[in-house]
Coordinates of all heavy atoms in Angstrom, one line a residue:
M1 N 104.6 100.7 116.7 CA 104.2 101.8 117.9 C 102.7 101.4 118.1 O 102.0 100.9 117.3 CB 104.5 103.1 117.4 CG 103.5 103.5 116.2 SD 103.9 105.3 115.6 CE 102.8 106.2 116.6
K2 N 102.4 101.9 119.4 CA 101.0 101.8 119.7 C 100.1 102.9 119.2 O 100.6 104.1 119.2 CB 100.8 101.8 121.3 CG 101.5 100.5 121.9 CD 100.6 99.3 121.8 CE 101.2 98.3 122.8 NZ 100.6 97.0 122.7
C3 N 98.9 102.7 118.9 CA 98.0 103.7 118.4 C 97.7 104.6 119.5 O 97.2 104.1 120.5 CB 96.6 103.1 117.8 SG 95.5 104.3 117.2
P4 N 97.8 105.9 119.4 CA 97.6 106.9 120.5 C 96.0 107.1 120.7 O 95.6 107.6 121.7 CB 98.2 108.2 120.1 CG 98.2 108.1 118.5 CD 98.4 106.6 118.2
F5 N 95.3 106.5 119.8 CA 93.7 106.7 119.9 C 93.1 105.5 120.6 O 92.2 105.6 121.5 CB 93.1 106.8 118.6 CG 93.6 108.1 117.9 CD1 94.7 108.1 117.0 CD2 93.1 109.4 118.2 CE1 95.0 109.3 116.4 CE2 93.4 110.6 117.6 CZ 94.5 110.5 116.7
C6 N 93.5 104.2 120.2 CA 92.9 103.0 120.7 C 93.8 102.0 121.4 O 93.5 101.0 121.8 CB 92.1 102.5 119.6 SG 93.0 101.5 118.4
D7 N 95.2 102.3 121.3 CA 96.1 101.5 121.8 C 96.5 100.2 121.1 O 97.3 99.3 121.7 CB 95.8 101.1 123.3 CG 97.1 101.0 124.2 OD1 98.1 101.8 123.9 OD2 97.2 100.2 125.1
A8 N 96.0 99.9 120.0 CA 96.4 98.7 119.3 C 97.7 98.9 118.7 O 98.2 100.0 118.4 CB 95.3 98.6 118.1
E9 N 98.3 97.7 118.4 CA 99.7 97.8 117.7 C 99.5 98.2 116.2 O 98.7 97.7 115.5 CB 100.3 96.4 117.8 CG 101.9 96.5 117.4 CD 102.7 97.3 118.2 OE1 102.5 97.4 119.5 OE2 103.6 97.9 117.7
M10 N 100.2 99.2 115.8 CA 100.1 99.8 114.5 C 101.0 99.0 113.4 O 102.0 98.4 113.8 CB 100.4 101.3 114.4 CG 99.5 102.1 115.3 SD 99.8 103.8 115.2 CE 98.8 104.2 113.8
L11 N 100.5 99.0 112.2 CA 101.2 98.4 111.1 C 102.1 99.5 110.5 O 101.6 100.7 110.3 CB 100.3 97.9 110.0 CG 99.2 96.8 110.5 CD1 98.1 96.6 109.5 CD2 99.9 95.5 110.9
H12 N 103.3 99.1 110.2 CA 104.2 100.1 109.5 C 104.2 99.7 108.0 O 104.2 98.6 107.6 CB 105.7 99.9 109.9 CG 106.6 101.0 109.5 ND1 106.5 102.3 110.0 CD2 107.5 101.0 108.6 CE1 107.4 103.1 109.3 NE2 107.9 102.3 108.4
G13 N 104.1 100.8 107.3 CA 103.9 100.7 105.9 C 104.2 102.0 105.2 O 104.8 102.9 105.7
Y14 N 103.7 102.2 104.0 CA 104.0 103.3 103.1 C 102.6 103.9 102.6 O 101.8 103.1 102.0 CB 104.9 102.9 102.0 CG 106.2 102.5 102.5 CD1 106.4 101.2 102.7 CD2 107.3 103.4 102.9 CE1 107.6 100.7 103.4 CE2 108.5 103.0 103.4 CZ 108.6 101.6 103.6 OH 109.8 101.2 104.2
L15 N 102.5 105.2 102.6 CA 101.5 105.8 101.8 C 102.0 106.1 100.5 O 102.9 106.7 100.3 CB 101.1 107.1 102.6 CG 100.1 108.1 102.0 CD1 98.7 107.3 102.0 CD2 99.9 109.4 102.8
N16 N 101.4 105.3 99.6 CA 101.8 105.4 98.1 C 100.9 106.4 97.4 O 99.7 106.2 97.3 CB 101.6 104.0 97.4 CG 102.6 103.0 98.1 OD1 103.7 102.8 97.6 ND2 102.0 102.3 99.1
C17 N 101.4 107.5 97.1 CA 100.4 108.6 96.6 C 101.1 109.5 95.5 O 102.2 109.4 95.3 CB 100.1 109.4 97.8 SG 101.3 110.3 98.7
G18 N 100.2 110.3 94.9 CA 100.7 111.3 94.0 C 100.8 112.6 94.7 O 101.2 112.7 95.8
N19 N 100.6 113.7 94.0 CA 100.7 114.9 94.6 C 99.8 115.1 95.7 O 98.6 114.6 95.7 CB 100.6 116.1 93.5 CG 99.4 116.1 92.8 OD1 98.8 115.1 92.5 ND2 98.8 117.2 92.6
A20 N 100.2 115.9 96.7 CA 99.4 115.9 97.9 C 99.9 117.2 98.7 O 100.9 117.7 98.5 CB 99.6 114.8 98.8
I21 N 98.9 117.7 99.4 CA 99.3 118.8 100.4 C 98.3 118.7 101.5 O 97.1 118.5 101.4 CB 99.2 120.2 99.8 CG1 99.8 121.3 100.5 CG2 97.8 120.5 99.2 CD1 99.9 122.7 99.8
W22 N 98.9 119.0 102.8 CA 98.0 119.3 103.9 C 97.9 120.8 104.0 O 99.0 121.5 104.0 CB 98.5 118.7 105.2 CG 97.7 119.0 106.3 CD1 96.6 118.3 106.8 CD2 97.7 120.3 107.1 NE1 96.1 119.0 107.9 CE2 96.6 120.2 108.0 CE3 98.5 121.4 107.1 CZ2 96.3 121.2 109.0 CZ3 98.2 122.4 108.0 CH2 97.0 122.3 108.9
S23 N 96.7 121.4 104.0 CA 96.5 122.8 104.2 C 95.3 123.1 105.1 O 94.5 122.3 105.4 CB 96.3 123.3 102.8 OG 96.0 124.7 102.8
E24 N 95.4 124.4 105.5 CA 94.2 124.8 106.2 C 93.0 125.0 105.4 O 91.9 125.2 106.0 CB 94.6 126.2 106.8 CG 95.7 126.2 107.9 CD 96.0 127.6 108.3 OE1 96.3 128.5 107.5 OE2 96.0 127.8 109.5
R25 N 93.2 125.1 104.1 CA 92.0 125.3 103.3 C 92.0 124.2 102.3 O 92.8 123.4 102.0 CB 92.2 126.7 102.5 CG 93.4 126.7 101.5 CD 93.3 127.9 100.7 NE 94.4 127.9 99.6 CZ 94.2 127.7 98.4 NH1 93.2 127.1 98.0 NH2 95.3 127.7 97.7
K26 N 90.7 124.1 101.7 CA 90.5 123.1 100.5 C 91.0 123.7 99.2 O 90.8 124.8 99.0 CB 89.0 122.8 100.4 CG 88.4 122.2 101.6 CD 86.9 121.9 101.4 CE 86.3 121.2 102.5 NZ 84.9 121.1 102.4
H27 N 91.8 122.8 98.5 CA 92.3 123.2 97.1 C 91.3 122.7 96.2 O 91.0 121.4 96.1 CB 93.7 122.6 96.9 CG 94.8 123.4 97.7 ND1 95.9 123.9 97.1 CD2 94.8 123.7 98.9 CE1 96.5 124.5 97.9 NE2 96.0 124.5 99.1
K28 N 90.8 123.5 95.3 CA 89.8 123.0 94.2 C 90.4 122.5 93.1 O 89.9 121.6 92.4 CB 88.7 124.1 94.0 CG 87.9 124.5 95.2 CD 86.7 125.2 94.8 CE 85.7 125.3 95.9 NZ 85.9 126.4 96.8
I29 N 91.6 123.1 92.7 CA 92.1 122.8 91.3 C 93.6 122.2 91.5 O 93.7 121.0 91.1 CB 92.2 124.0 90.4 CG1 90.7 124.5 90.0 CG2 92.8 123.6 89.1 CD1 90.6 125.7 89.4
S30 N 94.5 122.9 92.0 CA 95.8 122.3 92.0 C 96.2 122.2 93.5 O 95.5 122.7 94.4 CB 96.9 123.3 91.4 OG 97.3 124.3 92.3
T31 N 97.3 121.6 93.8 CA 97.7 121.4 95.2 C 98.9 122.4 95.5 O 99.6 122.3 96.5 CB 98.2 119.9 95.4 OG1 99.2 119.6 94.6 CG2 97.1 119.0 95.4
L32 N 99.1 123.4 94.6 CA 100.1 124.4 95.0 C 99.6 125.3 96.1 O 98.6 125.9 95.9 CB 100.5 125.2 93.7 CG 101.3 124.4 92.6 CD1 101.4 125.3 91.4 CD2 102.5 124.0 93.1
P33 N 100.5 125.7 97.1 CA 100.1 126.5 98.1 C 100.1 128.0 97.6 O 100.9 128.3 96.7 CB 101.0 126.3 99.3 CG 102.3 125.8 98.5 CD 101.8 125.0 97.3
D34 N 99.3 128.9 98.1 CA 99.5 130.2 97.9 C 100.3 130.9 99.1 O 100.7 130.2 99.9 CB 98.2 131.0 97.7 CG 97.3 130.9 98.9 OD1 97.8 131.0 100.0 OD2 96.1 130.8 98.7
T35 N 100.6 132.2 99.1 CA 101.4 132.9 100.1 C 100.8 133.0 101.4 O 101.5 133.3 102.4 CB 101.9 134.2 99.5 OG1 100.8 135.1 99.3 CG2 102.8 134.1 98.3
K36 N 99.4 132.9 101.5 CA 98.7 133.2 102.7 C 98.4 132.0 103.6 O 98.2 132.1 104.8 CB 97.4 133.9 102.3 CG 97.6 135.3 101.9 CD 96.3 136.0 101.3 CE 95.9 135.2 100.1 NZ 95.0 136.0 99.2
E37 N 98.4 130.9 102.9 CA 98.0 129.7 103.7 C 99.0 129.0 104.6 O 100.3 129.0 104.1 CB 97.3 128.7 102.9 CG 98.3 128.0 101.9 CD 97.6 127.1 100.9 OE1 96.9 126.1 101.4 OE2 97.6 127.4 99.7
K38 N 98.8 128.3 105.6 CA 99.7 127.4 106.3 C 99.6 126.1 105.7 O 98.5 125.6 105.5 CB 99.4 127.3 107.8 CG 99.6 128.6 108.6 CD 101.0 128.8 108.9 CE 101.3 129.9 109.9 NZ 102.8 130.2 110.0
Y39 N 100.8 125.5 105.3 CA 100.6 124.1 104.7 C 101.8 123.3 105.2 O 102.8 123.8 105.8 CB 100.7 124.3 103.2 CG 102.0 124.7 102.6 CD1 102.9 123.7 102.2 CD2 102.3 126.0 102.5 CE1 104.1 124.1 101.7 CE2 103.6 126.4 102.0 CZ 104.5 125.4 101.5 OH 105.7 125.7 101.1
A40 N 101.6 122.0 104.9 CA 102.7 121.0 105.3 C 102.6 119.9 104.3 O 101.5 119.7 103.7 CB 102.5 120.6 106.8
F41 N 103.5 118.9 104.4 CA 103.4 117.7 103.5 C 103.1 118.0 102.1 O 102.1 117.4 101.5 CB 102.2 116.8 104.2 CG 102.3 115.4 103.7 CD1 103.4 114.6 103.8 CD2 101.1 114.8 103.0 CE1 103.4 113.3 103.3 CE2 101.2 113.6 102.5 CZ 102.3 112.7 102.7
H42 N 103.8 118.9 101.4 CA 103.6 119.3 100.1 C 104.5 118.3 99.2 O 105.7 118.4 99.3 CB 104.0 120.8 99.9 CG 103.7 121.2 98.4 ND1 104.5 121.9 97.7 CD2 102.6 120.8 97.7 CE1 104.1 122.2 96.5 NE2 102.9 121.5 96.5
L43 N 103.8 117.5 98.4 CA 104.5 116.6 97.6 C 104.0 117.0 96.1 O 102.9 117.1 95.9 CB 103.9 115.1 97.8 CG 104.2 114.6 99.2 CD1 103.6 113.2 99.3 CD2 105.7 114.5 99.4
G44 N 105.0 117.1 95.3 CA 104.7 117.4 93.9 C 104.3 116.2 93.1 O 104.3 115.0 93.6
T45 N 104.0 116.4 91.9 CA 103.4 115.3 91.0 C 104.7 114.3 90.8 O 105.8 114.7 90.3 CB 103.1 115.7 89.6 OG1 101.9 116.6 89.9 CG2 102.5 114.6 88.8
P46 N 104.6 113.0 91.1 CA 105.6 112.1 91.0 C 105.9 111.8 89.5 O 105.1 111.9 88.6 CB 105.2 110.8 91.6 CG 103.7 111.0 91.7 CD 103.3 112.3 91.7
L47 N 107.2 111.6 89.2 CA 107.7 111.5 87.8 C 107.5 110.1 87.3 O 107.0 109.8 86.3 CB 109.1 112.1 87.6 CG 109.3 113.5 87.9 CD1 110.7 113.8 87.8 CD2 108.4 114.3 87.0
L48 N 108.1 109.1 88.1 CA 108.1 107.7 87.6 C 107.2 106.8 88.4 O 106.4 106.0 87.8 CB 109.5 107.2 87.7 CG 110.6 107.9 86.8 CD1 112.0 107.4 87.0 CD2 110.2 107.7 85.3
S49 N 107.2 106.8 89.7 CA 106.3 106.0 90.4 C 105.8 106.9 91.6 O 106.2 107.8 91.8 CB 107.2 104.8 91.1 OG 108.2 105.3 92.0
P50 N 104.8 106.3 92.2 CA 104.2 107.1 93.4 C 105.2 107.5 94.5 O 106.3 106.8 94.6 CB 103.1 106.1 93.9 CG 102.9 105.2 92.9 CD 104.1 105.0 92.1
H51 N 105.0 108.5 95.2 CA 105.7 108.8 96.4 C 105.5 107.7 97.5 O 104.5 107.1 97.6 CB 105.2 110.1 97.1 CG 105.5 111.3 96.3 ND1 106.7 111.8 96.0 CD2 104.7 112.2 95.6 CE1 106.7 112.9 95.2 NE2 105.4 113.1 94.9
H52 N 106.5 107.4 98.2 CA 106.5 106.4 99.2 C 106.7 107.0 100.6 O 107.9 107.2 101.0 CB 107.5 105.2 99.0 CG 107.4 104.7 97.7 ND1 108.4 104.6 96.8 CD2 106.3 104.1 97.0 CE1 108.0 104.0 95.6 NE2 106.7 103.7 95.7
V53 N 105.6 107.4 101.3 CA 105.7 108.1 102.5 C 105.5 107.1 103.7 O 104.5 106.5 103.9 CB 104.7 109.2 102.6 CG1 104.7 109.9 103.9 CG2 104.8 110.2 101.4
A54 N 106.6 106.9 104.4 CA 106.7 105.9 105.6 C 105.6 106.4 106.6 O 105.6 107.6 107.0 CB 108.0 105.7 106.1
C55 N 104.8 105.6 107.0 CA 103.8 105.9 108.1 C 103.3 104.6 108.7 O 103.5 103.5 108.3 CB 102.7 106.8 107.5 SG 101.5 106.0 106.4
D56 N 102.5 104.9 109.7 CA 101.8 103.8 110.5 C 100.3 103.8 110.4 O 99.6 104.9 110.3 CB 102.2 103.8 112.0 CG 103.6 103.6 112.2 OD1 104.2 102.4 112.1 OD2 104.4 104.6 112.3
C57 N 99.7 102.6 110.3 CA 98.3 102.4 110.1 C 97.7 101.7 111.2 O 98.3 100.7 111.6 CB 97.9 101.8 108.8 SG 96.2 101.4 108.5
C58 N 96.6 102.1 111.9 CA 96.0 101.3 113.0 C 95.1 100.3 112.3 O 94.1 100.8 111.7 CB 95.3 102.3 113.9 SG 94.5 101.3 115.2
P59 N 95.2 99.0 112.6 CA 94.2 98.0 112.0 C 92.9 98.0 112.7 O 92.0 97.4 112.2 CB 95.0 96.7 112.3 CG 95.9 96.8 113.4 CD 96.3 98.3 113.3
S60 N 92.8 98.7 113.9 CA 91.6 98.7 114.6 C 90.8 100.0 114.2 O 89.7 99.8 113.7 CB 91.9 98.6 116.2 OG 90.7 98.6 116.8
C61 N 91.3 101.1 114.4 CA 90.5 102.4 114.2 C 90.7 103.0 112.9 O 90.1 103.9 112.5 CB 90.6 103.3 115.4 SG 92.2 104.2 115.4
K62 N 91.8 102.3 112.2 CA 92.0 102.7 110.7 C 92.6 104.1 110.5 O 92.7 104.7 109.5 CB 90.8 102.6 109.9 CG 90.0 101.4 110.0 CD 90.7 100.2 109.6 CE 89.8 99.0 109.5 NZ 89.3 98.4 110.8
R63 N 93.2 104.6 111.6 CA 93.9 106.0 111.5 C 95.3 105.8 110.9 O 95.9 104.8 111.2 CB 93.9 106.8 112.8 CG 92.6 107.2 113.2 CD 92.7 107.8 114.7 NE 91.5 108.6 115.0 CZ 90.4 108.2 115.7 NH1 90.4 107.0 116.2 NH2 89.5 109.1 116.1
L64 N 95.8 106.8 110.2 CA 97.1 106.9 109.8 C 97.9 107.9 110.5 O 97.3 109.0 110.9 CB 97.1 107.3 108.3 CG 96.5 106.3 107.3 CD1 96.6 106.9 105.9 CD2 97.2 104.9 107.3
I65 N 99.1 107.7 110.9 CA 99.9 108.6 111.5 C 101.2 108.8 110.6 O 101.9 107.9 110.3 CB 100.3 108.2 112.9 CG1 99.2 108.1 113.9 CG2 101.4 109.2 113.5 CD1 99.4 107.8 115.3
V66 N 101.3 110.0 110.1 CA 102.4 110.3 109.2 C 103.4 111.4 109.8 O 102.9 112.5 110.3 CB 101.8 111.0 108.0 CG1 102.9 111.3 106.9 CG2 100.7 110.1 107.2
D67 N 104.6 111.0 110.0 CA 105.5 112.0 110.4 C 105.9 112.9 109.1 O 106.6 112.5 108.3 CB 106.9 111.4 110.9 CG 107.9 112.4 111.4 OD1 107.8 113.6 111.1 OD2 109.0 111.9 111.8
T68 N 105.4 114.1 109.2 CA 105.6 115.0 107.9 C 106.8 116.0 108.1 O 107.0 116.8 107.3 CB 104.3 115.9 107.7 OG1 104.1 116.8 108.8 CG2 103.1 115.0 107.6
S69 N 107.6 115.7 109.1 CA 108.7 116.7 109.4 C 109.8 116.9 108.3 O 110.3 117.8 108.2 CB 109.4 116.4 110.7 OG 110.0 115.1 110.7
D70 N 109.9 115.8 107.4 CA 111.0 115.9 106.4 C 110.4 116.3 105.0 O 111.1 116.4 104.0 CB 111.6 114.4 106.2 CG 112.4 114.0 107.3 OD1 112.9 115.0 108.1 OD2 112.7 112.8 107.3
Y71 N 109.2 116.9 105.0 CA 108.5 117.2 103.8 C 108.3 118.8 103.8 O 108.3 119.4 104.9 CB 107.2 116.5 103.7 CG 107.3 115.0 103.5 CD1 107.4 114.2 104.6 CD2 107.6 114.4 102.2 CE1 107.6 112.8 104.5 CE2 107.8 113.2 102.1 CZ 107.8 112.3 103.1 OH 108.1 111.0 103.1
E72 N 108.1 119.2 102.6 CA 108.1 120.7 102.5 C 107.0 121.3 103.2 O 105.8 120.8 103.1 CB 107.9 121.0 100.9 CG 107.9 122.5 100.7 CD 107.5 122.8 99.3 OE1 107.7 121.9 98.4 OE2 107.0 123.9 99.0
N73 N 107.1 122.4 104.0 CA 106.0 123.1 104.7 C 106.5 124.5 105.0 O 107.6 124.9 104.8 CB 105.8 122.3 106.0 CG 107.0 122.5 107.0 OD1 107.1 123.5 107.7 ND2 107.9 121.5 107.0
N74 N 105.5 125.3 105.5 CA 105.9 126.6 106.0 C 105.4 126.9 107.3 O 105.0 128.1 107.7 CB 105.3 127.7 104.9 CG 103.8 127.8 105.0 OD1 103.1 127.0 105.6 ND2 103.2 128.8 104.5
L75 N 105.4 125.8 108.2 CA 105.0 126.0 109.5 C 106.1 126.6 110.4 O 105.8 126.8 111.6 CB 104.6 124.6 110.1 CG 103.4 123.9 109.3 CD1 103.0 122.6 109.8 CD2 102.1 124.8 109.2
G76 N 107.3 126.7 109.9 CA 108.4 127.2 110.6 C 109.2 126.2 111.4 O 109.0 124.9 111.4
Ligands
ZN1 ZN1 93.7 102.8 116.6

């Protein structure tokens, strides 16, 4: 796919990561969401190997684009 920011051809690959959350707020200790915040892309601590999140990376402007629709969220 083309990068929507700079139009370069993006590289397809995987975000190899441990626990993670996208949230409206900064988490200082854990990545567990509370009942008040909006969150998406909640990944628990991996048991055996890192999570492998398919995504695209722009080799020019270095942005990542992640489709988080299949991951835990409370965005509705
Ligand atoms: Zn780009």
Side-chain angles (χ1 to χ4, degrees):
M1 72 183 267
K2 295 276 191 190
C3 176
F5 297 96
C6 74
D7 211 36
E9 190 62 36
M10 299 187 83
L11 303 169
H12 189 70
Y14 300 89
L15 181 62
N16 297 269
C17 62
N19 59 321
I21 188 169
W22 176 93
S23 174
E24 297 177 303
R25 68 176 180 93
K26 293 179 180 178
H27 284 236
K28 294 198 167 86
I29 297 170
S30 87
T31 55
L32 289 175
D34 63 35
T35 56
K36 289 171 290 198
E37 68 185 302
K38 291 283 190 189
Y39 72 93
F41 191 59
H42 183 221
L43 299 175
T45 302
L47 298 177
L48 296 174
S49 65
H51 294 289
H52 306 123
V53 180
C55 70
D56 293 283
C57 175
C58 177
S60 179
C61 72
K62 313 298 192 287
R63 288 174 165 99
L64 299 176
I65 295 184
V66 184
D67 179 356
T68 65
S69 59
D70 288 341
Y71 296 90
E72 182 190 334
N73 70 82
N74 71 349
L75 300 180

